[in-house]
Amino acid sequence: MTDSSEYTPPSVWTWDSESGGRFASINRPIAGPTHDKDLQVGKHPFQLYSLATPNGVKVTVMFEELLAAGHADADYDAWLINIGDGEQFGSGFVSVNPNSKIPALMDHTTTPPTRVFESGAILLHLAEKFGAFLPSDPAKRPEMLSWLFWQMGSAPYLGGGFGHFYAYAPSKMEYPINRFSMEVKRQLDVLDRQLADNTYLAGDDYTIADIANWAWYGQLVLGRLYDAAEFLDVASYKNVVRWAEAIDARAPVQRGRMVNRASGDPKMQLRERHDAADFDTQTQDKIGEPEND
């Protein structure tokens, strides 16, 4: 198919070939595991199985923020799940997340351990468990939750919509790129207007709503997603840029970005995290392994 206008959908769709583009080899129309593979379990109360995509970064930033805030019981092991190799379809991972998407968490502070999947659910689970990065005033909780769930509903247009057609599709097509560019810019304008009068999304306090949105929209305006900063004129959203840079400067955020990262600058790749000292000793530049392309 070279032009969307040439395609006539069949009466009943069937899966007869890969769709093309990046990640095509792992896309399929059925759920469930493709192979047997147990998950590893470390020594800490929380076991995270993830990759440093925006959704994965949300959770590792949250863990590092909790630890920096003095919640020692939030220590965690972070195991790399290479989605490009289909590791999310292993039987152990599917038992934690039947949707086969990262991140997935096992909370071993309960008996039996509790599984939590979907990044927003993990953020909320941890925030409530430790009483942290939630508004202290119950009247402010709905505003925070609104912005948290705004991200859940909006980011698929950024990632699966704009990101796919602009950066990953097998060919550039004007209609979907224009359609999703318009929507992403509208979303950035929504954030920009909210942040014009607020330090953070829900007011004066930094919350899980900021962590969730920063992983997507903050990194977008900082030039880290889809090589699209110039194309989307992200610099024009000055309030979003101010907010993104402020969060990016936080030490726990800088550490969280490194965890389960398997590409890019070797100094920023801590593929697995099992101890706080790993940031100083186990990044790819220090252990001598080549950069993963």
Side-chain angles (χ1 to χ4, degrees):
M1 183 176 68
T2 59
D3 188 324
S4 60
S5 65
E6 298 176 4
Y7 176 61
T8 300
S11 298
V12 178
W13 184 86
T14 57
W15 183 38
D16 57 8
S17 64
E18 290 186 358
S19 58
R22 189 174 177 185
F23 305 119
S25 63
I26 61 170
N27 292 332
R28 61 194 185 116
I30 55 175
T34 60
H35 58 281
D36 290 329
K37 184 176 181 180
D38 293 334
L39 291 175
Q40 294 175 283
V41 179
K43 63 184 179 181
H44 294 304
F46 297 95
Q47 299 295 303
L48 178 66
Y49 305 94
S50 193
L51 180 70
T53 67
N55 285 333
V57 165
K58 294 177 199 174
V59 178
T60 50
V61 165
M62 180 62 171
F63 272 119
E64 292 301 324
E65 290 280 14
L66 287 168
L67 292 169
H71 298 283
D73 291 344
D75 215 348
Y76 70 108
D77 290 276
W79 303 93
L80 179 67
I81 300 295
N82 191 327
I83 63 174
D85 292 342
E87 293 181 357
Q88 70 275 32
F89 299 117
S91 57
F93 189 89
V94 174
S95 72
V96 181
N97 186 353
N99 196 38
S100 292
K101 304 288 184 182
I102 62 91
L105 177 71
M106 288 299 293
D107 178 350
H108 288 263
T109 68
T110 64
T111 304
T114 300
R115 76 177 188 183
V116 194
F117 59 92
E118 292 297 325
S119 57
I122 296 173
L123 290 179
L124 194 56
H125 176 75
L126 294 173
E128 290 181 334
K129 194 175 193 76
F130 292 99
F133 305 107
L134 294 167
S136 56
D137 181 353
K140 296 181 179 180
R141 181 181 172 90
E143 180 76 4
M144 183 279 296
L145 288 173
S146 294
W147 286 107
L148 176 65
F149 286 97
W150 180 89
Q151 184 273 305
M152 308 303 158
S154 297
Y157 291 95
L158 169 56
F162 173 79
H164 174 77
F165 286 104
Y166 183 78
Y168 301 147
S171 61
K172 295 287 192 287
M173 292 177 281
E174 182 177 3
Y175 172 76
I177 290 175
N178 284 347
R179 170 66 180 85
F180 290 112
S181 297
M182 177 170 60
E183 174 60 14
V184 170
K185 288 181 72 65
R186 188 194 68 81
Q187 292 173 1
L188 288 169
D189 193 41
V190 170
L191 292 173
D192 204 60
R193 290 168 186 264
Q194 175 67 9
L195 291 165
D197 300 315
N198 295 279
T199 304
Y200 296 106
L201 284 172
D204 294 331
D205 296 326
Y206 173 65
T207 70
I208 55 174
D210 297 289
I211 293 173
N213 279 279
W214 180 87
W216 281 99
Y217 297 95
Q219 295 204 96
L220 177 68
V221 301
L222 293 171
R224 296 175 185 154
L225 295 185
Y226 313 123
D227 195 23
E230 181 181 6
F231 179 76
L232 293 171
D233 188 24
V234 297
S236 65
Y237 303 98
K238 298 186 184 303
N239 300 310
V240 182
V241 172
R242 181 268 306 162
W243 165 83
E245 290 177 344
I247 294 174
D248 195 54
R250 298 174 68 93
V253 173
Q254 294 172 17
R255 290 193 295 274
R257 282 189 59 226
M258 297 169 64
V259 179
N260 295 146
R261 186 166 299 281
S263 62
D265 185 348
K267 296 191 296 294
M268 290 297 296
Q269 293 185 45
L270 181 60
R271 296 188 181 181
E272 292 188 356
R273 185 265 189 214
H274 303 292
D275 189 273
D278 290 347
F279 290 99
D280 297 321
T281 63
Q282 297 299 311
T283 53
Q284 289 303 107
D285 62 311
K286 293 185 175 70
I287 63 177
E289 293 186 16
E291 180 181 343
N292 181 1
D293 295 331

